[in-house]
């Protein structure tokens, strides 16, 4: 007769304090995302899985968490039929069902996604990397899913550029160049400013299927900075990036506001309670610190702010 092993995790803890998150991190899985008329996208994804833990229970059932994750992700790999955020949503809902002591289950996922594109001037095929962000939170009230992306680009500081404009204008005046020619030259040739590598992140969280295309999020994020950057760059491409970045100098705050405009324009169908997160971080080139700006806001509020600004 086999001996029944004690369920130590179900016993009472020495200190009766509840925990908001207990789970596992660093779970790697292959996830296959189906595309209509195209080969599926295969992602190497890293998951974090959490449940809340009441004060009366010593520990969560880690093996059960892993079992659920294995089941749902294996299904996703076989079926090729899930959106990324749906994988997280279904896993979170199963976690909630299988843990009778929990009231909240969270599943987070990150993965690298390679996208093909062409260089802006030499028209060469190249690829660039996008970090996909997805998550879901399941409670008795329902499940909210989040989808988003982190991309890299280039920004130029308007303040630094403004000083260069003033220097160039003074030098041209000293050479007796007339004001009309000076202004025409400065309009045509953007002046130098210190450049930065920019990191833009956009996520959208809502209940149910928000009908948000990940590719649209990526495009909004890339366009929010001064210029896109490319892995492959011939000299004409380098000139293109440098010129366009300096022709559209942006503070870190400007990038977040550009994201806001793009989100409202592209995703106007989102419900008012959808939560949009927009983050811009710039790696400063002439300072030891970095610049950072962000906004977390419900879509209804963001829509009012952007539309109100457009009406002024």
């Amino acid at each position: 007769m086999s001996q029944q092993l004690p369920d130590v995790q179900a016993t009472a803890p020495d200190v009766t304090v509840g925990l908001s998150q207990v789970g596992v991190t660093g779970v790697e899985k292959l996830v296959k995302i189906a595309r209509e008329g195209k080969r599926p996208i295969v992602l190497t994804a890293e998951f974090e899985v959490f449940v809340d833990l009441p004060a009366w229970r010593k520990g969560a059932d880690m093996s059960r968490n892993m079992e659920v994750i294995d089941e749902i992700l294996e299904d996703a790999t076989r079926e090729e039929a899930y959106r990324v955020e749906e994988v997280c949503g279904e896993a979170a809902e199963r976690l909630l069902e299988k843990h009778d002591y929990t009231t909240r289950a969270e599943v987070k996922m990150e993965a690298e996604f390679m996208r093909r594109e062409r260089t802006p001037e030499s028209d060469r095929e190249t690829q660039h990397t996008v970090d996909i962000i997805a998550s879901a939170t399941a409670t008795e009230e329902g499940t909210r899913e989040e989808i988003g992306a982190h991309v890299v680009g280039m920004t130029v500081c308007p303040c630094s550029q403004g000083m260069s404009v003033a220097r160039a204008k003074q030098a041209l005046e000293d050479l007796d160049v007339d004001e009309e020619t000076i202004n025409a030259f400065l309009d045509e040739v953007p002046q130098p400013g210190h450049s930065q590598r920019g990191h833009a992140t956009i996520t959208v969280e809502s209940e149910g299927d928000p009908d948000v295309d990940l590719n649209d999020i990526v495009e909004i994020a890339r366009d929010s900075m001064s210029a896109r950057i490319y892995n492959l760059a011939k000299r004409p491409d380098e000139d293109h990036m440098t010129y366009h970045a300096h022709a559209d100098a942006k503070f870190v705050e400007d990038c977040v506001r550009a994201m806001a405009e793009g989100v409202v324009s592209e995703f106007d169908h989102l419900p008012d309670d959808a939560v949009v997160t927009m983050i811009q971080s710039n790696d400063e080139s002439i300072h030891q610190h970095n610049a950072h700006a962000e906004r977390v806001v419900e879509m209804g509020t963001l829509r009012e702010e952007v539309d109100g600004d457009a009406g002024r």
Side-chain angles (χ1 to χ4, degrees):
M1 185 173 181
S2 62
Q3 181 180 2
Q4 179 137 1
L5 297 176
D7 188 358
V8 178
Q9 291 173 324
T11 62
D14 296 333
V15 180
T16 54
V17 173
L19 303 176
S20 55
Q21 284 188 332
V22 177
V24 293
T25 63
V27 181
E28 293 187 346
K29 288 288 181 181
L30 283 180
V31 178
K32 196 176 292 184
I33 307 300
R35 296 186 296 173
E36 187 175 348
K38 298 181 180 179
R39 290 184 300 176
I41 299 170
V42 180
L43 304 172
T44 301
E46 184 171 309
F47 287 84
E48 297 181 351
V49 181
F50 304 110
V51 296
D52 63 341
L53 192 68
W56 52 262
R57 185 179 173 95
K58 188 175 184 67
D61 190 338
M62 294 297 179
S63 62
R64 185 175 297 176
N65 290 358
M66 286 303 303
E67 179 185 356
V68 172
I69 286 295
D70 277 339
E71 286 177 3
I72 188 64
L73 295 185
E74 290 301 326
D75 287 346
T77 302
R78 282 195 300 269
E79 297 297 329
E80 302 180 5
Y82 295 97
R83 291 181 294 113
V84 179
E85 61 272 35
E86 282 182 339
V87 175
C88 296
E90 292 204 18
E93 289 171 359
R94 290 194 188 185
L95 280 169
L96 196 65
E97 291 172 3
K98 292 204 172 188
H99 293 75
D100 55 7
Y101 55 82
T102 192
T103 61
R104 180 186 179 91
E106 299 175 64
V107 177
K108 301 178 181 180
M109 188 213 84
E110 291 189 7
E112 281 193 349
F113 174 36
M114 297 297 294
R115 300 172 84 229
R116 294 187 180 277
E117 64 182 351
R118 304 197 74 84
T119 54
E121 293 294 334
S122 62
D123 196 33
R124 303 286 187 91
E125 186 175 35
T126 184
Q127 299 181 26
H128 73 103
T129 304
V130 173
D131 292 329
I132 298 175
I133 303 164
S135 69
T137 302
T139 65
E140 292 179 357
E141 285 73 40
T143 302
R144 291 183 68 86
E145 296 174 350
E146 180 183 47
I147 183 65
H150 170 87
V151 303
V152 179
M154 178 180 177
T155 61
V156 171
C157 176
C159 184
S160 171
Q161 187 180 60
M163 291 185 283
S164 295
V165 169
R167 181 188 293 271
K169 187 171 185 180
Q170 184 62 57
L172 291 169
E173 288 175 351
D174 293 343
L175 292 170
D176 294 326
V177 179
D178 64 273
E179 185 173 357
E180 184 178 350
T181 302
I182 290 174
N183 291 335
F185 172 79
L186 293 175
D187 286 341
E188 184 66 25
V189 182
Q191 295 304 293
H194 76 83
S195 61
Q196 307 138 328
R197 175 166 289 187
H199 304 268
T201 303
I202 301 174
T203 66
V204 176
E205 177 197 326
S206 67
E207 189 169 352
D209 181 1
D211 189 24
V212 172
D213 191 323
L214 179 64
N215 288 301
D216 291 335
I217 289 180
V218 171
E219 295 301 306
I220 294 169
R222 295 187 81 192
D223 287 339
S224 69
M225 292 174 275
S226 296
R228 297 185 176 201
I229 60 175
Y230 299 82
N231 281 335
L232 173 66
K234 305 292 286 182
R235 282 193 295 177
D237 302 313
E238 292 177 354
D239 179 64
H240 175 98
M241 287 183 274
T242 304
Y243 176 85
H244 282 275
H246 285 80
D248 191 18
K250 288 179 177 178
F251 290 118
V252 66
E253 300 93 336
D254 296 324
C255 297
V256 174
R257 290 171 175 138
M259 291 183 218
E261 281 189 317
V263 167
V264 169
S265 174
E266 189 66 41
F267 303 129
D268 193 47
H269 62 278
L270 286 173
D272 286 348
D273 66 348
V275 177
V276 180
T277 299
M278 300 163 290
I279 303 172
Q280 180 71 29
S281 293
N282 291 343
D283 298 337
E284 294 280 4
S285 59
I286 64 171
H287 304 295
Q288 289 187 332
H289 60 263
N290 295 325
H292 183 92
E294 66 179 80
R295 180 71 189 281
V296 180
V297 60
E298 288 191 342
M299 187 64 186
T301 301
L302 186 64
R303 190 183 286 115
E304 288 177 2
E305 290 181 5
V306 171
D307 291 346
D309 182 67
R312 277 187 284 189

